[in-house]
Every structure is written in structure tokens, then in C-alpha cells.
Amino acid sequence: MKTLEAKEEANGWDVEAKMHWYLRELAEAGGQVWFGTIACGVLLTKTLSDLENRSNSGNSTIKGLVVANAHGKGLLRADIVIDA
């Protein structure tokens, strides 16, 4: 099977080749793509002092995403979240 490489054409990028390249690179890095899924919320953690003082100092950390698709809603816990 011939390897697909993203190549630039006269009118821009070959969309199909670029898509396959991104999917292959993501899979090789251990990532996942959930097609037909949307993020509809986040799981945030706050510092103990922010909770005690009812402060919103902006020290929250994203620890997961609430997602929804045809199967329902769920929580994906994550160490790293990339908003792309």
C-alpha cells in the first residue's frame, strides 16, 4: 500500500491526504479521535484556598471533558486537553 503524504497542490492542500496524515500521526502517538462527538463541558479542579475563600482566582485546572454523542453523555478524564 502506498503511503499517503500531505502535499500542496496549486489550489492549496490535498485535503484527503492531509486528513490521513493527521490521523496516522495521531494514532502512532497513541491518541484517539472520536468522530461525531462534541465537548459540552469541562471538569475543573480548584485549589483548596480558592474553595475555602469562595474565590475565582483563575487557578483552575482542566482535568477532563464532558462529551456527548449518539451513545449519550460521558466524562473523559485527562492529564492533557488540547483545544483544537
Side-chain angles (χ1 to χ4, degrees), residues 4-9 12-26:
L4 291 172
E5 294 295 332
K7 59 185 181 296
E8 192 170 357
E9 295 180 347
W13 286 97
D14 179 346
V15 175
E16 292 289 321
K18 187 175 182 180
M19 175 188 67
H20 287 287
W21 182 85
Y22 276 123
L23 291 173
R24 184 181 68 237
E25 292 295 312
L26 184 64

Side-chain angles (χ1 to χ4, degrees), residues 46-67:
K46 289 186 172 261
T47 64
L48 184 57
S49 63
D50 282 348
L51 291 174
E52 289 171 348
N53 300 326
R54 297 183 183 205
S55 168
N56 191 10
S57 67
N59 292 332
S60 299
T61 303
I62 296 176
K63 289 296 187 179
L65 294 173
V66 179
V67 297

Side-chain angles (χ1 to χ4, degrees), residues 34-42 65-70 72-76:
W34 290 18
F35 292 105
T37 302
I38 61 168
C40 55
V42 294
L65 294 173
V66 179
V67 297
N69 61 23
K73 289 184 189 174
L75 175 65
L76 296 175

